[in-house]
Amino acid sequence: GRHGRNRRRRSASRSRRERPKPVDLERLQVPEAVQLLFEKAVGRLVQLEKLPCNISKISDMMIQMNKQWHFSQAHVNTFRQLADWFAVRGLIQLQPGLDAVLIVRSKLPLVDSDMLQPPSQRRLSPERRAPMRRQSPPPPPGGAPMAVKAP
């Protein structure tokens, strides 16, 4: 026929599936436990894999770390919406592809996952949350030696 044999056909179940309801990423309240699990999973994934990689690997890592994990615990309708929530906050960078969404960059810590602090504690000190943006103080005027604080 006109369409040819090599034409790929999507499964009927996928084509009939409804689109997930959108969420307001600005107003969405992601529970702290979910944030911490996501951040640990990304930190571990970045240590084990080279970026870019499919965001489904973050979900897989979260399930490895917590067998009861499901994205609905984050008050979202898809895992992609949770990933978008982190992307909107600048913690990860996503790149939509034809068949998948890739995580291409992360600002989340690569430290041992047990050393990560809960997100609420990190928010109390923004300079610790984004150390890469801090600049060293300017040199003193006239080249005078700077005072060193005692420990």
Side-chain angles (χ1 to χ4, degrees):
R2 202 174 92 185
H3 296 293
R5 281 194 191 128
N6 295 334
R7 188 165 176 244
R8 241 172 123 198
R9 224 179 111 200
R10 281 193 154 163
S11 68
S13 61
R14 185 172 180 168
S15 62
R16 274 186 256 150
R17 201 181 298 161
E18 284 184 33
R19 281 201 110 114
K21 290 186 174 65
V23 293
D24 183 345
L25 296 175
E26 295 299 322
R27 295 180 56 206
L28 179 65
Q29 296 291 313
V30 174
E32 190 168 279
V34 172
Q35 292 181 47
L36 195 55
L37 181 62
F38 186 98
E39 292 179 17
K40 284 180 180 181
V42 170
R44 194 171 290 173
L45 185 68
V46 170
Q47 285 178 317
L48 298 173
E49 304 254 346
K50 282 212 184 310
L51 295 184
C53 70
N54 194 317
I55 63 168
S56 67
K57 291 195 175 192
I58 303 170
S59 179
D60 295 343
M61 186 69 68
M62 291 173 78
I63 291 166
Q64 274 181 31
M65 296 166 79
N66 177 352
K67 300 286 185 234
Q68 281 78 47
W69 160 251
H70 189 264
F71 64 78
S72 61
Q73 295 167 9
H75 312 300
V76 293
N77 301 310
T78 63
F79 185 79
R80 166 71 192 272
Q81 291 172 341
L82 178 61
D84 285 340
W85 187 86
F86 280 88
V88 162
R89 280 148 186 79
L91 296 170
I92 60 173
Q93 184 180 337
L94 301 177
Q95 178 182 309
L98 292 175
D99 296 323
V101 177
L102 303 178
I103 175 172
V104 293
R105 190 170 297 137
S106 169
K107 289 185 180 179
L108 295 170
L110 298 180
V111 296
D112 185 319
S113 59
D114 296 331
M115 295 171 62
L116 281 174
Q117 288 187 313
S120 63
Q121 290 178 15
R122 283 199 314 271
R123 266 187 230 109
L124 296 175
S125 73
E127 68 275 5
R128 234 183 32 219
R129 190 174 38 160
M132 67 184 95
R133 290 194 207 114
R134 277 203 336 238
Q135 295 179 338
S136 53
M146 289 176 52
V148 177
K149 286 184 185 174

